[in-house]
Amino acid sequence: MADENNGIDQAANATKSATDRAANAAKDAADKMRAGAQQARDTFQNKVVEPAQRAGEAMKASGQKMAEGGSTIGVKMIDQAEQNAREAFNAMREAASAKDLSEVMRIQGDYLREQSTRSMSQAREIGELIMQFGRDAVAPLRPGGQGGEGQG
């Protein structure tokens, strides 16, 4: 009977050993699957999520720059219109107090020359602002662009 018990013990030990090997193999396979899943998550994060976030942030920064630029240009145009109206009223006052027609003609000629020069200068100023704001707006969209600071 001792031989029988010994055989049962050996069979039990062999079964336990086989079960342990199978459990270890299953654990190793699960660990490898977990590691693969983590690597897939990391790759997805690095290759898809983070670039999409950076692109979204760049678009937001670009939109902010465009809004700021539009506001600044609008204010500048109002300032220029105010200056032009002031100059026109000054010329009308001078013309109203002129002593004769030749003085009125001189005042009008001077005003038109100054207004022409002022208009070209104002158009150039607005054009330069538009170009600068355009550069600032696309700077965040360029690789390595961080808001366009220091550019110009």
Side-chain angles (χ1 to χ4, degrees):
M1 181 134 177
D3 282 340
E4 232 177 84
N5 283 341
N6 196 13
I8 292 174
D9 286 344
Q10 286 179 346
N13 286 338
T15 303
K16 181 184 178 306
S17 178
T19 303
D20 288 346
R21 283 193 306 270
N24 286 336
K27 181 184 176 301
D28 289 346
D31 289 346
K32 286 179 185 176
M33 286 176 55
R34 257 193 301 283
Q38 184 61 44
Q39 184 178 4
R41 275 192 298 275
D42 292 347
T43 300
F44 183 77
Q45 181 73 23
N46 293 336
K47 301 285 185 187
V48 176
V49 174
E50 289 176 6
Q53 285 175 335
R54 285 192 301 272
E57 290 165 3
M59 293 283 285
K60 181 180 176 186
S62 179
Q64 278 184 304
K65 291 290 184 182
M66 288 179 4
E68 291 168 7
S71 176
T72 300
I73 290 170
V75 169
K76 179 56 78 176
M77 291 175 77
I78 290 170
D79 290 345
Q80 290 176 349
E82 183 180 3
Q83 179 186 11
N84 293 341
R86 237 187 344 267
E87 295 298 328
F89 280 110
N90 287 341
M92 285 191 282
R93 277 191 199 93
E94 280 186 61
S97 63
K99 298 196 183 348
D100 58 24
L101 185 58
S102 65
E103 192 175 351
V104 170
M105 298 301 283
R106 180 193 57 77
I107 291 168
Q108 253 186 340
D110 289 348
Y111 169 76
L112 290 174
R113 265 190 307 282
E114 290 169 6
Q115 182 58 35
S116 175
T117 301
R118 191 170 38 256
S119 291
M120 288 192 318
S121 173
Q122 290 171 345
R124 189 176 316 111
E125 188 176 4
I126 293 295
E128 289 171 359
L129 279 174
I130 290 170
M131 288 190 314
Q132 182 60 47
F133 290 132
R135 285 189 294 268
D136 290 348
V138 298
L141 300 175
R142 291 188 181 134
Q146 296 296 318
E149 270 75 298
Q151 295 183 10

